[in-house]
Amino acid sequence: MNKKTYICALLTKRKQSYERERAPSVLAKVAITGNMYKVKIISKVRIYDYEELSEADRELIDKAKEATQTSYAPFSKFCVGAAARLSDGRIVTGSNQENAAFPSSLCAERTALFYANARYPEKSVEELAIAAYAHGAFLKAPIPPCGACRQVILGVEERYGHPVRILLFGEEGTYVVDSVKALLPLQFTGETMNE
Ligand code: THU
């Protein structure tokens, strides 16, 4: 198989697997110009005002906002809170915990998810809300999770076999995606190693 055919086969395979999952938050489209492949990645993100969200969504966001108060961020002064809703309806929260050796710190999302998975391993994570507080206010723009947290959320989706709905709170709008795949195109998963 030449390089061009191989790339095309890979993309076709991925496209089929998105269709199989029936949660196509990200679609890849291929256009061919001469010897060039152009890949267009489309993410579906819905944007809501806080008041437009359902009561359940507002509850999860409020828990994430509350969790920012438990953040330990003496170095960055950037307080992040995360709230995960599990399959039994339970809400588990976490916040960023910093250390003088910076890489030894942990983000809010991973604190919440690892705690949820360690404490309630049989319960899947359905939804995750994230909020951030800095310079005396919650962020105006939706808080984007860091790359490492996106990868961990992907691992949680893989572990429980279904997508995690994510709410990124911002005072001027909340972004909602149906899966972390909308925030992390071209994912590396356990399956990648078997391809
Ligand atoms: N932080 C999070 O908790 N979550 C993210 O997704 C982005 C960053 C934390 C890590 C660090 O304590 C502070 O925010 C500044 O980077």
Side-chain angles (χ1 to χ4, degrees):
M1 201 185 284
N2 67 27
K3 194 177 159 218
K4 204 191 278 186
T5 322
Y6 177 68
I7 294 169
C8 208
L10 264 184
L11 287 166
T12 308
K13 206 172 160 201
R14 289 225 183 266
K15 191 165 181 290
Q16 280 166 356
S17 91
Y18 286 129
E19 277 160 11
R20 259 207 317 277
E21 287 167 28
R22 290 174 179 274
S25 305
V26 179
L27 291 175
K29 284 186 176 173
V30 187
I32 307 165
T33 321
N35 288 328
M36 258 286 258
Y37 280 83
K38 285 187 186 170
V39 181
K40 193 171 184 181
I41 297 168
I42 303 164
S43 287
K44 275 199 269 170
V45 181
R46 285 183 289 278
I47 305 171
Y48 296 95
D49 287 334
Y50 179 81
E51 298 71 32
E52 288 179 301
L53 292 162
S54 69
E55 204 176 309
D57 284 351
R58 289 201 303 265
E59 182 193 19
L60 201 64
I61 287 173
D62 291 348
K63 295 278 183 200
K65 288 171 82 175
E66 263 173 54
T68 62
Q69 292 169 25
T70 69
S71 158
Y72 180 65
F75 304 103
S76 71
K77 315 259 189 283
F78 190 77
C79 302
V80 187
R85 183 179 275 119
L86 310 189
S87 50
D88 63 353
R90 186 188 305 271
I91 294 176
V92 174
T93 62
S95 55
N96 56 328
Q97 302 296 316
E98 297 185 350
N99 186 280
F102 292 176
S104 302
S105 309
L106 197 64
C107 290
E109 298 89 321
R110 277 177 284 164
T111 305
L113 290 174
F114 287 150
Y115 177 72
N117 292 167
R119 183 75 180 79
Y120 308 104
E122 73 290 355
K123 305 291 176 214
S124 61
V125 178
E126 304 285 309
E127 296 175 308
L128 182 72
I130 309 163
Y133 185 92
H135 312 294
F138 285 101
L139 256 58
K140 286 194 182 124
I143 163 79
C146 78
C149 287
R150 293 175 200 212
Q151 183 67 28
V152 167
I153 301 168
L154 179 67
V156 170
E157 290 195 355
E158 201 182 8
R159 174 172 176 171
Y160 293 102
H162 75 85
V164 176
R165 188 166 168 265
I166 306 172
L167 299 105
L168 310 177
F169 175 74
E171 286 286 17
E172 293 181 351
T174 294
Y175 283 6
V176 180
V177 292
D178 290 333
S179 160
V180 74
K181 290 176 183 175
L183 307 176
L184 188 67
L186 308 178
Q187 306 95 25
F188 180 85
T189 65
E191 215 181 285
T192 313
M193 290 179 280
N194 301 325
E195 277 171 357

